[in-house]
Amino acid sequence: MIIIRNIEPADAEAYWNLRLEALKMNPEAFGTSYEEAVQVSLFDIVKQIQNKRDHYILGAFTKDHQLAGMTGFRREHKIKTRHKGTIWGVYVPPIYRGQGIAKKLLLEVISRGRKVEGLKQINLSVVAANQAAVELYRKLGFKTMVLKRTLWNITVRDMMRNSWLIFIKGERF
């Protein structure tokens, strides 16, 4: 059984260890580098954990309280863009993949997004080669917004990234 809930300050160490694993194992998938992130103190991570309606980190916890996946959500706050939010940092460790954990995390973000006044779309991006993620996003109703070439300086890899969006307040393509 998997329980989806907000990451709390008490979960900071488990969250940060999983985040560092994600950055180390899949550097092409994230804009933050492991080398930079590993220098951030746990104290600073605790300060960054927010549990607001429009800015939070979700964890997927097993029945024995192991962190089996995570994602974050952040709403834009400028007047012209506050109708948008972004899903970031989706990661499920290999041992837990194939159990629908990423789907549960994303469905929770979408469900919460529908309750945020004025939020009309949720964006995310993914490396186009990550076919499992691409397929999941399609099944959840996300549409390709743009396909762009990205060159991450630290990995010196040229790759295609898909940017996706989902309209959550009655708007459609």
Side-chain angles (χ1 to χ4, degrees), residues 15 18-19 22-23 29-30 57-58 69-74 86-92 105 125 137:
Y15 157 70
L18 189 60
R19 175 75 172 154
L23 297 173
F30 304 98
I57 303 166
L58 290 178
M70 64 182 184
T71 192
F73 178 78
R74 176 176 40 247
T86 301
I87 292 173
W88 58 271
V90 179
Y91 182 72
V92 175
L105 287 163
S125 63
Y137 300 152

Side-chain angles (χ1 to χ4, degrees), residues 139-163:
K139 285 180 181 176
L140 293 177
F142 285 86
K143 307 291 183 198
T144 301
M145 185 171 62
V146 68
L147 180 64
K148 61 183 177 181
R149 250 191 159 66
T150 301
L151 180 64
W152 292 131
N153 196 28
I154 60 162
T155 59
V156 194
R157 292 166 114 176
D158 187 19
M159 67 194 89
M160 297 300 286
R161 289 184 70 80
N162 278 319
S163 289

Side-chain angles (χ1 to χ4, degrees), residues 86-110:
T86 301
I87 292 173
W88 58 271
V90 179
Y91 182 72
V92 175
I95 192 169
Y96 294 110
R97 291 182 188 161
Q99 299 177 40
I101 293 171
K103 181 179 180 179
K104 289 177 184 174
L105 287 163
L106 294 167
L107 286 171
E108 180 66 18
V109 173
I110 293 166

Side-chain angles (χ1 to χ4, degrees), residues 22-40:
L23 297 173
K24 194 171 193 176
M25 299 296 291
N26 299 102
E28 73 284 353
F30 304 98
T32 301
S33 74
Y34 173 82
E35 294 77 11
E36 290 171 320
V38 75
Q39 296 176 33
V40 178

